[in-house]
Amino acid sequence: MDFSSSWINTSLDLNINPRTRVHQQAAPVSFKKYEVENNFFSLGMMSISSAKEESSVALVEELKRVSAENKKLTGMLTEMCENYNTLRNNLMEYMRKNPDHKEKRKSDEISSSNNLMGGGVTGNNSESSSSDEDQSCKKPRQIVETCIKAKVSRVYFKTESSDSSLIVKDGYQWRKYGQKVTRDNPSPRAYFKCSFAPSCTVKKKVQRSVDDPSVVVATYEGEHNHPHPSQTEPTNNRCRNQISPVAPSSSAPSTVTLDWTKKAPSSAPSKNMMINNPKMEVPQILVEQMATSLTKDLNFRAALAAAISGKMLHQN
DNA sequence: CGCGTTTGACCCGCGC
DNA sequence: GCGCGGGTCAAACGCG
């Protein structure tokens, strides 16, 4: 097999070890994985043809570069986690000092509050778990309800402008139980329940963004109490005509796609997280919130779009 | 025939 | 208390 002919650059040009053929002796790559790979590479040097040698060299270098890139991204995510925890502690402190602070119960504000507080909330039936915090510190009931409200997260999906469907491809199976035109948005809002209901009480609201009709906003309430269907039924094709999350349009096998809608089991935190911070347990909701925050960040979106389009143009 | 979607009616909380 | 609006229910409908 000729690797060089089917070479696909997976870099997003994050300025991590740019794709020059510079030796990476200074790269802080200390994983045993690389040692094994390097040993394998050196053993293979004795017997393979020169063409394959070049391919192997290129592959190993690409692997090193991608791994370094991955490490850098992991570091950024870790930093975001720390910032999140700091912000969350500050907010808790602020709410403790300002018990008279009134909060509206409008969904947007509840949602944004949960985006800040959600990492500390567990369980999908929040109403039954509110008693503990009520006892620890006496706060106005509204605030407590806002804090303990079921996990709410938002995910933004980019769609074709001509596509009017409100079906979102997040891997789970949903049953639509209602649709409503709301006052603040001319596009209808669709209501979904997890198909595992009533055992799984997760709900989802899907509505097109007012600002950008090509963007579909999915609001998830609660947390699935069952494995992700893709883990048990990888070839499940029942979800037809569905919208993919904001991601590179190319589905080339070597393309690195950050699919934040695929949820890792809560008992198995990200391995990358564990590498950099073994004690850290990143809740799924936090990952979703960070992904949402990133997608909301115009600078990040612009940079991501530029990197992707640049790569696509480069490959063409 | 079974399952999922559609859609009008109904429920309920909130603001006035 | 009333009206409004979001959320849910359930019968009708469509599709495979």
Side-chain angles (χ1 to χ4, degrees), chain A residues 96-136:
Chain A
R96 205 167 291 136
K97 288 178 180 175
N98 298 276
D100 293 333
H101 178 64
K102 302 254 183 181
E103 290 193 24
K104 291 184 182 178
R105 292 195 41 155
K106 289 180 67 175
S107 62
D108 284 350
E109 284 161 326
I110 290 174
S111 151
S112 61
S113 172
N114 278 305
N115 279 342
L116 290 169
M117 307 287 296
V121 182
T122 58
N124 49 353
N125 279 337
S126 56
E127 286 85 357
S128 60
S129 64
S130 62
S131 56
D132 290 340
E133 290 207 12
D134 268 332
Q135 292 167 357
S136 62

Side-chain angles (χ1 to χ4, degrees), chain A residues 35 53 58 71 82 99 102 120 133 150 159 170 191 201 214 216 235 241 245 249 252 307:
Chain A
E35 294 173 12
E53 284 173 17
K71 190 179 175 185
E82 290 168 359
K102 302 254 183 181
E133 290 207 12
T159 70
D170 56 12
Y191 299 90
T201 59
S214 67
V216 171
T235 56
N241 215 12
S249 58

Side-chain angles (χ1 to χ4, degrees), chain A residues 74 77 264-265 268-275 280 282 287:
Chain A
T74 304
L77 196 54
S270 160
K271 285 183 181 178
N272 290 335
M273 280 298 188
M274 300 292 282
I275 289 172
M280 189 188 325
V282 181
V287 175

Side-chain angles (χ1 to χ4, degrees), chain A residues 126-152:
Chain A
S126 56
E127 286 85 357
S128 60
S129 64
S130 62
S131 56
D132 290 340
E133 290 207 12
D134 268 332
Q135 292 167 357
S136 62
C137 55
K138 293 189 177 180
K139 302 173 193 171
R141 182 173 177 79
Q142 275 193 336
I143 294 179
V144 174
E145 282 179 357
T146 302
C147 297
I148 314 291
K149 200 79 180 176
K151 281 184 179 181
V152 176

Side-chain angles (χ1 to χ4, degrees), chain A residues 195-247:
Chain A
S195 62
F196 283 80
S199 64
C200 180
T201 59
V202 179
K203 292 176 186 174
K204 178 174 78 169
K205 290 180 285 189
V206 180
Q207 189 173 31
R208 295 194 171 272
S209 170
V210 186
D211 301 326
D212 185 358
S214 67
V215 173
V216 171
V217 184
T219 306
Y220 295 87
E221 296 179 11
E223 186 177 338
H224 294 279
N225 57 8
H226 55 88
H228 194 282
S230 66
Q231 292 170 0
T232 55
E233 296 179 65
T235 56
N236 187 351
N237 250 349
R238 295 178 62 182
C239 305
R240 52 178 190 241
N241 215 12
Q242 292 185 329
I243 300 163
S244 297
V246 180

Side-chain angles (χ1 to χ4, degrees), chain A residues 52-65:
Chain A
K52 286 187 176 179
E53 284 173 17
E54 289 180 8
S55 297
S56 298
V57 171
L59 270 177
V60 170
E61 293 215 355
E62 176 71 0
L63 181 62
K64 285 180 183 176
R65 188 188 52 75

Side-chain angles (χ1 to χ4, degrees), chain A residues 10-300:
Chain A
T10 59
S11 170
L12 289 178
D13 279 348
L14 296 172
N15 294 327
I16 315 296
N17 300 328
R19 270 181 65 78
T20 53
R21 290 289 180 252
V22 176
H23 291 295
Q24 301 181 6
Q25 71 278 7
V29 180
S30 59
F31 300 119
K32 286 188 175 180
K33 183 175 147 192
Y34 295 141
E35 294 173 12
V36 172
E37 283 155 0
N38 284 332
N39 290 340
F40 173 77
F41 170 66
S42 60
L43 286 172
M45 287 284 284
M46 303 298 291
S47 57
I48 57 178
S49 67
S50 59
K52 286 187 176 179
E53 284 173 17
E54 289 180 8
S55 297
S56 298
V57 171
L59 270 177
V60 170
E61 293 215 355
E62 176 71 0
L63 181 62
K64 285 180 183 176
R65 188 188 52 75
V66 170
S67 298
E69 203 169 278
N70 186 28
K71 190 179 175 185
K72 173 73 174 177
L73 285 169
T74 304
M76 292 166 67
L77 196 54
T78 304
E79 188 179 349
M80 285 181 65
C81 286
E82 290 168 359
N83 291 338
Y84 159 78
N85 284 329
T86 305
L87 272 174
R88 184 177 154 218
N89 290 336
N90 289 342
L91 179 64
M92 294 289 277
E93 188 66 22
Y94 174 79
M95 291 178 68
R96 205 167 291 136
K97 288 178 180 175
N98 298 276
D100 293 333
H101 178 64
K102 302 254 183 181
E103 290 193 24
K104 291 184 182 178
R105 292 195 41 155
K106 289 180 67 175
S107 62
D108 284 350
E109 284 161 326
I110 290 174
S111 151
S112 61
S113 172
N114 278 305
N115 279 342
L116 290 169
M117 307 287 296
V121 182
T122 58
N124 49 353
N125 279 337
S126 56
E127 286 85 357
S128 60
S129 64
S130 62
S131 56
D132 290 340
E133 290 207 12
D134 268 332
Q135 292 167 357
S136 62
C137 55
K138 293 189 177 180
K139 302 173 193 171
R141 182 173 177 79
Q142 275 193 336
I143 294 179
V144 174
E145 282 179 357
T146 302
C147 297
I148 314 291
K149 200 79 180 176
K151 281 184 179 181
V152 176
S153 59
R154 283 185 180 181
V155 181
Y156 294 79
F157 296 84
K158 184 76 175 175
T159 70
E160 297 292 331
S161 55
S162 59
D163 188 359
S164 61
S165 71
L166 284 173
I167 302 174
V168 157
K169 186 177 184 177
D170 56 12
Y172 287 96
Q173 293 170 27
W174 302 92
R175 184 175 61 84
K176 189 176 181 179
Y177 66 91
Q179 181 165 317
K180 195 93 175 177
V181 176
T182 57
R183 196 182 170 191
D184 57 342
N185 193 333
S187 64
R189 174 185 297 170
Y191 299 90
F192 296 89
K193 284 178 181 173
C194 180
S195 62
F196 283 80
S199 64
C200 180
T201 59
V202 179
K203 292 176 186 174
K204 178 174 78 169
K205 290 180 285 189
V206 180
Q207 189 173 31
R208 295 194 171 272
S209 170
V210 186
D211 301 326
D212 185 358
S214 67
V215 173
V216 171
V217 184
T219 306
Y220 295 87
E221 296 179 11
E223 186 177 338
H224 294 279
N225 57 8
H226 55 88
H228 194 282
S230 66
Q231 292 170 0
T232 55
E233 296 179 65
T235 56
N236 187 351
N237 250 349
R238 295 178 62 182
C239 305
R240 52 178 190 241
N241 215 12
Q242 292 185 329
I243 300 163
S244 297
V246 180
S249 58
S250 166
S251 57
S254 297
T255 300
V256 176
T257 302
L258 296 174
D259 188 353
W260 41 72
T261 62
K262 289 185 178 175
K263 300 170 182 176
S266 57
S267 59
S270 160
K271 285 183 181 178
N272 290 335
M273 280 298 188
M274 300 292 282
I275 289 172
N276 266 18
N277 196 346
K279 291 181 182 176
M280 189 188 325
E281 290 185 8
V282 181
Q284 167 196 323
I285 190 74
L286 175 56
V287 175
E288 289 178 0
Q289 286 160 6
M290 288 190 295
T292 301
S293 299
L294 280 174
T295 54
K296 280 180 181 174
D297 187 331
L298 293 177
N299 290 333
F300 176 80

